[in-house]
Amino acid sequence: MSDTGSDTKRKTTTRLKVAKPRLYKVILVNDDFTPREFVLVILKAVFRMSEEQGYNVMMTAHQKGKCVVAVYSRDIAETKAKEAIDLAKQAGFPLMFVTEPED
Ligand code: NFA
């Protein structure tokens, strides 16, 4: 006799989709106090930007109020933003970075 009892029957349902982890933008916020050259140092050191990339991001924030620096997993985005803010604070500047999820 065939046995289809619950003790031997296997579960065959599968999940069709697993949500992808959301990515987060790190955004540089302009202020009136942090020197341009210091912003550039931070962008190069923390976000591994070239002189040219860093200059363009710094100037965009300077002129428009803010600029997306890069996109990372939530953990990396928050860690890098905090590192950058802490370095600025140690140097006596109010430089600010914020993170927000990508659409
Ligand atoms: N606005 C700052 C200045 O004129 C430079 C700056 C750029 C600060 C981008 C913060 C972000 N010294």
Side-chain angles (χ1 to χ4, degrees), residues 28-37 39 57-63 65 95-96:
L28 168 64
V29 182
N30 187 40
D31 67 71
D32 292 337
F33 304 102
T34 309
R36 293 182 187 192
E37 187 54 43
V39 178
V57 165
M58 182 277 292
M59 283 309 291
T60 299
H62 177 70
Q63 290 163 353
L95 185 62
M96 194 46 62

Side-chain angles (χ1 to χ4, degrees), residues 18-84:
V18 172
K20 292 191 202 110
R22 274 209 288 184
L23 293 176
Y24 282 68
K25 297 180 278 195
V26 177
I27 298 165
L28 168 64
V29 182
N30 187 40
D31 67 71
D32 292 337
F33 304 102
T34 309
R36 293 182 187 192
E37 187 54 43
F38 185 82
V39 178
L40 202 43
V41 166
I42 294 292
L43 292 176
K44 290 194 285 188
V46 177
F47 300 96
R48 302 272 159 221
M49 303 190 101
S50 69
E51 180 81 21
E52 189 182 346
Q53 287 175 317
Y55 182 81
N56 290 336
V57 165
M58 182 277 292
M59 283 309 291
T60 299
H62 177 70
Q63 290 163 353
K64 298 190 172 178
K66 58 186 179 175
C67 183
V68 175
V69 178
V71 171
Y72 303 102
S73 66
R74 182 176 179 179
D75 192 50
I76 303 289
E78 288 174 353
T79 300
K80 286 195 180 273
K82 183 174 187 306
E83 262 176 40

